[in-house]
Amino acid sequence: MAHSLSKSRIAAFEQCSRKLWLMTQRPELAEENAGTRARFASGHVVGDVACRQRPGGVMVEADPDLSAALRQTKQLLADGHNGPIFEATFRFEGVLVRCDILERRVDGSWHMVEVKSSTTAKPEHLTDLATQLWVARGAGLRVGAASIRHLNPAFRLPESGDLSGLFVDSTQMEAIEPLVEERGAVVEAARMVLEGAEPSVVPSSHCSKPYDCSFRTHCLAGQPSAEWPVEILPHGGGRRLARMGYTDLRDVPAELISTPGHQRIHRATVTGTVEHDALGAQAAMANWVYPRIWLDFETVSEAVPQWAGCGPWRQVPFQFSAHIETAHGVIDHVEFLQTDGADPRRACAEALAGLPAQGSVIVWFEKFEKDRLAELAKDFPDLAMALASLRDRVVDLLPVARDHWYHRDQRGSWSLKRVLPTIAPQLDYASLDVKDGAQAQDAYREAVAPDTSPERREELEEGLRNYCLRDTKAMIIIAKSLSQDNFANLAH
Ligand code: SF4
């Protein structure tokens, strides 16, 4: 019997034949990660808003099953329903699709709309739309237009909370016709995969493009593993070496490594010796002026903006930690955290404006903090001067670490969380309740939820405070250690 397929299974097949096979034959091996869950959650929120913006629409329910959805769709069309239809369901050649929105056009044909939570139409969206169009047409629907309805990057929520203008249609009818043409062959190829044994596709860069695959653990388990895989070379530096047959970086001759950055990583990995240039680090930080303000933000970013003036996916700071070092080793701590669910920007901007008006502002990866300061300055003109002054004084510790420190346990990364354990292992993030930025966002969302108890909110706040404080403390320790002559030899 031919395997039935769906839009998501065809999309999986187009990413990787093994993914389709595993999804269908061994779904229990999937491991959902936080990123996938967050992507689905924002997709649902955006989909709901898109439907609410089309009043008079009818939702096709898959209750008790998809056969009911097929019947209801058929009935609505037979009855000459003129308003929008949500989740209209069609089957053709054993492929079942549910269309986000169908809208009647003046000529009586239908406008097929696929709603996305991104701010652009992406190639993978077009193949999804093409699959839907192929199926709906095959099932007899007259489709006159097909669009990706994505978030409008220029949208800013007005005071009224009015979401009209949140979406923009990217019309794709002509662009997807070649993709529609090839759907029959794609479906046939997908079926052949399902009739065979598990494909022996080797995990590679395709496993995260366009979506993170949830079968990585399973696929990697069957792979020969290297202790120091060549892929730790950043910016795809290991791909060429992998193609040449190398798996472990230690086996690669030095003359095959071309860039100075990769050469350092290679050297440290082969010898196990830390690469540390204390004099260089001292020189790089020599002009950082006291009081030194060690600053870090935590932000929340939502597809559908909730506060006036914000656009889709705006990073809104709800917390910061600032260690203020008035003289070498003399340090105060200032922090801000708002978890009452109200717009935190004004209070955050005021607290920032209260930081010292002189001195260097030290961050890790300056673009992020500079962008947040610039956005807040634009939001609150009365505080703009103080915020612009902070922004102008930002200096970045990341390139100092990148250029003057490498321990092979960083495995090719200079993220704060990778560098810190190589310098101060006792300050690792593993012991914290909130361990990274994604968990901080989750904790914030739970804290502001109306049904969260005061006790739980306090717990979450404590976790957030400890996490953000750890980031700024980590910067101080890293800077101090990098400047210390002979630190690498003393510590390792
Ligand atoms: S982990 Fe990679 S190789 Fe394995 S199924 Fe997913 S995409 Fe395919």
Side-chain angles (χ1 to χ4, degrees):
M1 194 188 86
H3 287 273
S4 60
L5 289 165
S6 63
K7 185 177 66 177
S8 58
R9 288 192 177 186
I10 291 172
F13 171 70
E14 293 195 292
Q15 179 173 358
C16 171
S17 57
R18 192 176 184 182
K19 183 176 179 185
L20 168 68
W21 193 93
L22 289 165
M23 245 174 117
T24 313
Q25 313 286 15
R26 301 290 310 276
E28 75 281 4
L29 295 175
E31 287 177 354
E32 248 190 29
N33 61 30
T36 311
R37 275 195 300 277
R39 186 162 59 81
F40 280 129
S42 56
H44 281 129
V45 171
V46 168
D48 283 351
V49 174
C51 290
R52 273 189 268 124
Q53 293 198 347
R54 288 291 178 269
V58 173
M59 175 63 76
V60 172
E61 304 290 350
D63 185 17
D65 53 28
L66 286 164
S67 300
L70 284 164
R71 280 196 302 277
Q72 191 187 350
T73 304
K74 204 169 170 187
Q75 193 63 52
L76 284 165
L77 296 173
D79 292 347
H81 179 78
N82 246 334
I85 304 177
F86 310 131
E87 301 293 338
T89 309
F90 301 96
R91 183 158 50 203
F92 175 62
E93 301 276 340
V95 181
L96 191 134
V97 296
R98 307 197 80 200
C99 304
D100 288 341
I101 303 178
L102 285 182
E103 295 168 346
R104 186 75 91 166
R105 302 172 81 227
V106 282
D107 67 359
S109 68
W110 290 91
H111 178 199
M112 175 178 279
V113 176
E114 174 84 348
V115 179
K116 295 293 177 190
S117 57
S118 58
T119 52
T120 55
K122 298 181 181 176
E124 61 270 24
H125 301 160
L126 303 192
T127 46
D128 271 1
L129 193 60
T131 302
Q132 282 183 187
L133 182 54
W134 180 75
V135 171
R137 265 186 192 159
L141 189 76
R142 191 155 73 90
V143 181
S147 303
I148 301 296
R149 184 164 291 166
H150 59 79
L151 297 171
N152 177 3
F155 175 80
R156 296 293 175 268
L157 188 71
E159 288 293 337
S160 62
D162 176 3
L163 288 170
S164 54
L166 175 64
F167 293 99
V168 62
D169 281 357
S170 170
T171 307
Q172 300 289 349
M173 197 69 174
E174 274 181 32
I176 62 172
E177 285 299 353
L179 296 169
V180 176
E181 289 282 303
E182 65 185 35
R183 291 299 92 184
V186 170
V187 167
E188 200 177 317
R191 284 223 169 86
M192 281 179 68
V193 164
L194 290 176
E195 278 158 20
E198 180 177 346
S200 53
V201 180
V202 175
S204 179
S205 54
H206 74 277
C207 302
S208 54
K209 284 184 200 143
Y211 303 113
D212 261 340
C213 180
S214 47
F215 294 103
R216 268 174 200 269
T217 307
H218 167 73
C219 293
L220 287 170
Q223 284 301 110
S225 63
E227 190 180 351
W228 301 97
V230 289
E231 286 80 11
I232 64 176
L233 290 181
H235 314 302
R239 259 183 248 137
R240 180 177 57 91
L241 300 169
R243 280 199 299 273
M244 291 167 76
Y246 292 103
T247 52
D248 196 306
L249 192 54
R250 292 172 304 179
D251 298 333
V252 179
E255 56 271 23
L256 288 183
I257 312 274
S258 47
T259 71
H262 287 175
Q263 284 163 355
R264 281 173 71 216
I265 294 172
H266 178 256
R267 238 180 357 251
T269 306
V270 170
T271 63
T273 307
V274 178
E275 298 263 328
H276 180 207
D277 171 11
L279 288 178
Q282 288 163 19
M285 295 185 278
N287 293 330
W288 292 5
V289 179
Y290 290 99
R292 292 179 170 182
I293 304 160
W294 306 80
L295 179 68
D296 181 64
F297 286 128
E298 295 309 321
T299 60
V300 64
S301 171
E302 306 290 3
V304 177
Q306 45 181 329
W307 295 306
C310 292
W313 298 116
R314 159 99 183 250
Q315 300 267 5
V316 175
F318 62 84
Q319 178 178 19
F320 73 77
S321 164
H323 276 98
I324 299 167
E325 189 177 13
T326 45
H328 185 67
V330 182
I331 301 173
D332 276 336
H333 185 241
V334 177
E335 63 184 357
F336 167 81
L337 173 63
Q338 184 169 322
T339 59
D340 60 2
D343 183 351
R345 286 174 298 163
R346 176 76 204 183
C348 180
E350 285 175 1
L352 285 165
L355 293 175
Q358 274 101 38
S360 298
V361 178
I362 303 157
V363 302
W364 191 274
F365 183 53
E366 64 181 357
K367 184 176 185 317
F368 187 78
E369 266 74 15
K370 277 184 161 180
D371 284 354
R372 305 297 78 80
L373 288 165
E375 288 159 358
L376 290 174
K378 207 168 162 197
D379 289 335
F380 305 110
D382 58 319
L383 301 172
M385 201 183 286
L387 296 168
S389 161
L390 283 171
R391 187 180 182 281
D392 290 345
R393 287 180 280 137
V394 165
V395 292
D396 196 346
L397 181 58
L398 168 59
V400 180
R402 191 186 55 218
D403 296 344
H404 304 99
W405 176 267
Y406 184 72
H407 185 299
R408 69 177 179 175
D409 287 352
Q410 290 169 229
R411 301 180 85 80
S413 163
W414 275 271
S415 77
L416 190 56
K417 280 142 193 95
R418 281 288 179 86
V419 174
L420 183 66
T422 69
I423 285 176
Q426 74 281 7
L427 288 181
D428 199 358
Y429 286 78
S431 59
L432 298 176
D433 290 338
V434 175
K435 296 174 179 47
D436 58 35
Q439 288 188 13
Q441 288 209 28
D442 287 348
Y444 172 78
R445 290 193 184 102
E446 187 184 343
V448 302
D451 54 352
T452 299
S453 69
E455 297 74 30
R456 176 66 183 147
R457 185 168 299 123
E458 263 178 43
E459 254 175 48
L460 291 161
E461 284 178 351
E462 193 187 341
L464 283 164
R465 285 183 207 283
N466 289 339
Y467 169 65
C468 203
L469 181 139
R470 178 65 52 92
D471 274 351
T472 46
K473 198 168 173 185
M475 285 196 284
I476 297 171
I477 288 169
I478 289 171
K480 192 173 157 200
S481 307
L482 293 188
S483 316
Q484 199 177 324
D485 294 328
N486 217 20
F487 172 76
N489 291 335
L490 294 172
H492 296 275

